[in-house]
Amino acid sequence: MARAYLSRVAEPYPAALAALVDQVGPVEAAERVRAGGVSSSVASQTSARRAEERAHEDLERIAKVGGRFVIPEDDEWPRWPFVALGMAAQRCGGEPLALWVRGPHDLTEASEKAVAVVGSRAASGYGEHVAGEFAFGLAQAGVTVVSGAAYGIDGAAHRGALGGGGLTVAVLACGVDFAYPAGHQGLLAKISREGLIVSEYPPGVTPARHRFLTRNRLIAALGGGTVVVEAGRRSGAKNTAAITLALGRPLMVVPGPVTSASSAGCHELLRDGQAVSVSSVAEIVESVGRFGDDLAIEPAEKDSALGAPQGEAMRVYEAMGKRSGVSDEVVSVESGVPLERVRALLPELELAGLALRVDGGWQKLEVR
């Protein structure tokens, strides 16, 4: 009840309120907000709405549409995907206070192996085709497709995943009982039956421009990596791409025609060295998948190449010491991979049996 109250009282992402909740817990924080006994920074985020006592009403409304209220104290809360949000809170906004959810699947299980697929609303036929085909293939590979339910690339990604018989998650910039855009009412209804619809905003909250930018961090966090299919130079998809990089997650882009303005943002990300190019489902799965299990190689080759890291992972692997451990900072300098990305890759290499944590840092284990 406390988190339902706070969910409506403050506009996401309320950094000062989140810090108060971390310090005293949601119940005490809610009581202080109601009474006005909070710091000026918290008051600035809550004073306009602190009299909005609508928790009971909001919970009834979500129940009427077959939804539920998920909070960090629940088993369904996607803790691991949101860890990175907490670490990068100053750059992209932190972990949500709570989530409003519709759909029959468990959110934690849905985000265990997931990819965000985003792009321009004014997508070309090429972009929508690629997004749909990739999402279809990802779904058949058992990968959840996360997107924002907008026109263009987002809609094509959701449809492709549903067509592939897989799971898709739509993250909204409004209440989950609100069909936006209106032209996707049927699509959202299907996602609510076969996938998941997620939002930080209570039922009845309408979309606003700033809310789309805020929700982008949840799209990036729920995906193990982000694929930008088409994006103009000023596209909202580039905001999701920037958040993906801040979270230390793989950023992938689909190259397009050099004459296409819809792909200009993708080509800019490639030229700046911020993203890698992908041209198949196998390459996407390899970028976000488990080492040794999801390599983009033919089945006949898989036995001989099993376990070999690729891309940034290979650079990190090669930078580790052979006979003694080296620190993650040294690995970053030697490999040229950003430190936050190194710290994300090293534990994965350890799980894959390719790295060993020792007293001096990290030691390389030879690929067999």
Coordinates of all heavy atoms in Angstrom, one line a residue, residues 83-94 243 246-248 340:
V83 N 19.8 -4.2 -11.1 CA 21.0 -3.9 -10.4 C 21.8 -2.8 -11.1 O 22.3 -1.8 -10.5 CB 21.9 -5.1 -10.2 CG1 23.3 -4.8 -9.8 CG2 21.3 -6.1 -9.2
A84 N 21.9 -2.9 -12.4 CA 22.7 -1.9 -13.2 C 22.1 -0.5 -13.1 O 22.8 0.5 -13.2 CB 22.8 -2.4 -14.7
L85 N 20.7 -0.5 -13.0 CA 20.1 0.9 -12.9 C 20.5 1.5 -11.6 O 20.8 2.8 -11.6 CB 18.6 0.7 -12.9 CG 17.9 0.6 -14.2 CD1 16.4 0.4 -14.0 CD2 18.1 1.8 -15.1
G86 N 20.6 0.8 -10.6 CA 21.1 1.3 -9.3 C 22.5 1.9 -9.4 O 22.8 2.9 -8.8
M87 N 23.4 1.2 -10.1 CA 24.8 1.6 -10.2 C 24.9 2.8 -11.2 O 25.9 3.5 -11.0 CB 25.6 0.4 -10.8 CG 25.6 -0.8 -9.8 SD 26.5 -2.2 -10.6 CE 28.2 -1.6 -10.7
A88 N 24.0 2.9 -12.1 CA 24.1 4.0 -13.1 C 23.0 5.1 -12.9 O 22.7 5.8 -13.8 CB 24.0 3.5 -14.5
A89 N 22.5 5.2 -11.6 CA 21.4 6.0 -11.3 C 21.6 7.5 -11.7 O 20.7 8.2 -12.2 CB 21.0 5.9 -9.9
Q90 N 22.8 8.0 -11.5 CA 23.1 9.4 -11.7 C 23.1 9.7 -13.2 O 22.8 10.9 -13.6 CB 24.4 9.8 -11.1 CG 24.4 9.8 -9.6 CD 25.7 10.4 -9.0 OE1 26.8 10.4 -9.7 NE2 25.7 10.7 -7.8
R91 N 23.4 8.7 -14.0 CA 23.4 9.0 -15.5 C 22.1 8.7 -16.2 O 21.8 9.4 -17.2 CB 24.5 8.1 -16.1 CG 25.9 8.7 -15.8 CD 27.0 7.7 -16.4 NE 27.0 6.5 -15.6 CZ 27.8 5.4 -15.9 NH1 28.5 5.5 -17.0 NH2 27.8 4.4 -15.1
C92 N 21.3 7.8 -15.7 CA 20.1 7.4 -16.5 C 18.9 7.2 -15.6 O 17.8 6.9 -16.1 CB 20.4 6.2 -17.3 SG 20.9 4.7 -16.4
G93 N 18.9 7.5 -14.3 CA 17.8 7.2 -13.5 C 17.9 5.8 -12.9 O 18.3 4.9 -13.6
G94 N 17.5 5.7 -11.6 CA 17.6 4.4 -10.9 C 16.5 3.5 -11.0 O 15.6 3.6 -11.9
I243 N 21.5 4.9 -22.8 CA 21.2 4.3 -21.5 C 21.8 2.9 -21.5 O 22.4 2.4 -20.5 CB 19.7 4.3 -21.2 CG1 19.2 5.7 -21.1 CG2 19.4 3.4 -20.0 CD1 17.7 5.8 -21.0
A246 N 25.4 3.2 -20.8 CA 25.6 3.6 -19.4 C 25.4 2.4 -18.5 O 26.0 2.3 -17.4 CB 24.6 4.7 -19.0
L247 N 24.5 1.4 -18.8 CA 24.3 0.2 -18.0 C 25.4 -0.9 -18.3 O 25.3 -1.9 -17.6 CB 22.9 -0.4 -18.3 CG 21.7 0.5 -18.0 CD1 20.4 -0.2 -18.4 CD2 21.7 0.9 -16.5
G248 N 26.2 -0.6 -19.2 CA 27.3 -1.6 -19.5 C 26.8 -2.8 -20.3 O 27.3 -3.9 -20.3
E340 N 33.4 -0.3 -16.9 CA 32.1 -0.8 -16.5 C 31.7 -2.0 -17.3 O 31.1 -3.0 -16.8 CB 31.0 0.3 -16.6 CG 30.8 0.8 -18.0 CD 29.9 2.0 -18.1 OE1 29.6 2.6 -17.0 OE2 29.5 2.5 -19.2

